[in-house]
Amino acid sequence: MITTHIPGYPRIGARRELKFALEACWRGETGDANLLRTGSELRAAHWRRQREAGLSLVTAGDFSFYDPMLDTLVLLGCPPLRFGFDPQRLTLRQYFELARGNAGQPALEMTKWFDTNYHYLVPELSAQTRFDGGPDWYFEHIAEALAAGHPVKPVLIGPVTFLRLAKAGGGADRLVLVEPLARAYARILGRLRGMGIEWVQIDEPALCLELEPAWLDAFDRAYPILAADAPALLLATCFDAADEHADRVLRLPVRGIHIDLVRAPGQLAAWQSRLPADRVLSAGIVDGRNIWRTDLRRALALLQPLHEAIGNRLWLASSCSLQHVPVSLSGEQGLDPEVRPWLAFADEKLEELRVLGKALDGGTKSVLAELEAADAVLASRRTSRRIVNEEVRARLGRLSPADERRANSHPQRSVLQQAQLGLPPLPTTTIGSFPQTPQIRATRAAWKRGEIGELQYLDAMRAEIREVIARQEALGIDVLVHGEAERNDMVEFFGEQLWGFCFTQNGWVQSYGSRCVKPPVIYGDVARPEPMTVDISRFAQSLTEKPVKGMLTGPVTILQWSFVRDDQPRADTALQIALAVREEVADLEKAGIRVIQIDEPALREGLPLKRRDWNGYLDWAVRAFRIASAVAADETQIHTHMCYAEFNDILPAIAAMDADVITIETSRSNMELLDGFGEFRYPNGIGPGVYDIHSPRVPQTEDILRLMRRACGVIPLPQLWINPDCGLKTRSWTEVEPALRNMVAAARQLRAGLAASDGTGPAA
Ligand code: GLN
Ligand code: ZN
């Protein structure tokens, strides 16, 4: 019999049970017992579902109350010393303090898990860190699964990935920790073996990064130590190819390797040809990152010869943990009936694995009905009129290179723009959103429930816009925004108005901790049937003499934060979205909007894991932005915005986007992020954030002056703008109002200094 399994199951619950239990506990409404019960109920249900789907192994140890990296550091017993916690006696409360901070200590830093939209907590290590073990929570989960009678395969984040993703204070070399860490893993694995565990999955996605030789050597150093008394180990990779390291990996004392054949099918031959006779190959054939039904015939065409060659040493799995997809289609009643059968969420993917396994064991005849049903669905998707929009394709085909370029270069454009806008030096602006007040949320909820009509809703939103325009005028801001009151979310708002998108009711995916997102599904060619923001922008502009920015989300961000179709390259979908945004830019311009911002906060997070693939991505990502923006006349000022990111290694691409102004998040890094732009001699306008919008703290005029003086030392003054780090939607007016007042005061002081001096720099 072939072995079927999954690298992990979503932990948040089909109805986000974990989220609600966590938040009630954090608010103090319920005790730990309630949360613990929810956790064990979820685990029990998830294991049962894997069994009912007929998987050979049930995955345990993948559940977490917050984050598996945090759980791993708790299991190893290495919470940062700054918290002063006893690692062995850590309480649940302290666990959440590590994740969320407490009165004395900020939380562990959080960052993105490889190229996913999931965020993990970053362990803090030093050369002195000890790994003496923590509480027994992990083992309790495994025991729970065993007690329920399941064939249990525990999963652990591997030592090299753990170290690689950790940070070490004081410039310490994390690699000195390899041996002590491996000994800690050996103790954990020995204990699992003592519990009767046969196989352990050890996740090493770091193997798919471009690792330096010393990091590759870490595998050779760690695995002989940790495997000494371990159950059989399945070393699991995902998100990209790892075959360049096949020889090295297959020399390690592991009994099997899991590879991602969805992202990197090309790696199969290398692994297959090298696979020693006593090793297992786990084929990640069902997409763990996307929501499309598997093409079972195509999967079988790849699996059957492999099965003939290596027999039951072939295991079947999803490409990666299913935590990146929603739980179940059974919660989707509102989906378009044509689109629904095209989809497979986590539970449906379990069923696909069962069918594939049966087909290999008993021949395709044994699953004929299932295959025929799948064929029919795929045929319907392939031939659906909803997928292909010839008009969009023709319009894209007609774009020439000249359409991707503004008429003139930025220095010439800025003269024309200045003639129209008449802005002072160091102009002030904000990033787009103003506080989403309880009143705004209540109005939108009432509208969604049908309690108020469309017109009443629009009226309420117009009243909000009128108010934020008046507030900005009173504050003396130079380039205004309409405040985005009408937007729930910067992608959903556009997706709902574009063809080719659909929305789930319960398609939640964990972003971090208790936070979930519900990405739209892009299933067909994207087209803009009618203007999306023109009415609202025109209305906002009618209220003031000052320029009001038209506010759009960029093509790469819309793509990046959606489930994207798998039947054409991502680049093609990005260009289709770009065309829709381009049409919107043209219409905004026609409506008299003189400044248009196209947000691209997700540009950097789309970078492939391997640096050698970066240029391919950046080429089409930048092209998409240029297609979206270059339709603007030279007189129209194009802004873009990106949140906190490491910009330095992609500055040429950012410059190639050729936005007239870019606003970025810099206040927390004390403007350090700006240095790269300075050294690169970034040629266009730039607004380094001076107000940390993640903090309730109101920046004082003096703080803003200090940051701006630093900025003036790095970027020539005529290029500089003054603005907050990001949108203000999560803040309250009681913070925003004084913060912006201080920001404008700082700008005025700097300008006064300029007027008093020779005009080449602000007086200190
Ligand atoms: N314009 C958006 C806002 O202000 C930008 C949000 C973002 O960068 N994520 O809310
Ligand atoms: Zn931002």
Side-chain angles (χ1 to χ4, degrees), residues 252-299:
L252 298 177
V254 297
R255 289 281 305 285
I257 169 90
H258 170 86
I259 56 174
D260 185 337
L261 291 178
V262 176
R263 278 293 178 85
Q267 63 177 327
L268 177 58
W271 287 104
Q272 188 183 343
S273 65
R274 287 173 175 79
L275 196 72
D278 59 346
R279 303 293 168 85
V280 155
L281 182 65
S282 166
I285 192 77
V286 167
D287 196 346
R289 290 284 295 274
N290 213 333
I291 42 68
W292 304 104
R293 217 167 144 146
T294 305
D295 184 340
L296 296 176
R297 301 244 186 221
R298 209 171 73 189

Side-chain angles (χ1 to χ4, degrees), residues 430-434 484 487 490 551-552 561 597 599 601 641-643 725-729:
T430 60
I431 307 305
S433 57
F434 273 110
E484 302 181 27
R487 301 184 191 178
M490 60 187 292
M551 194 59 63
L552 306 173
W561 292 350
Q597 178 170 314
D599 290 327
H641 165 72
M642 293 181 198
C643 304
D725 270 341
C726 192
L728 301 165
K729 63 175 162 233

Side-chain angles (χ1 to χ4, degrees), residues 20 32 89 159 166 170 254 359 369 378 451 462 527 535 558 719 761 763:
F20 298 121
D32 289 1
R89 273 175 211 80
V254 297
L378 286 179
E451 291 161 18
R462 285 181 170 220
D535 281 349
I558 293 182
Q719 284 171 252

Side-chain angles (χ1 to χ4, degrees), residues 350-373:
L350 301 181
E351 168 65 11
E352 292 181 333
L353 284 169
R354 184 192 67 81
V355 174
L356 289 171
K358 195 164 169 210
L360 293 184
D361 281 334
T364 42
K365 280 200 198 65
S366 65
V367 289
L368 210 54
E370 288 96 330
L371 287 181
E372 281 170 359

Side-chain angles (χ1 to χ4, degrees), residues 729-756:
K729 63 175 162 233
T730 57
R731 300 259 63 96
S732 71
W733 277 109
T734 52
E735 300 150 7
V736 164
E737 186 107 55
L740 294 182
R741 190 173 305 120
N742 294 344
M743 185 179 94
V744 172
R748 287 186 177 147
Q749 273 193 46
L750 289 169
R751 286 173 203 154
L754 281 180

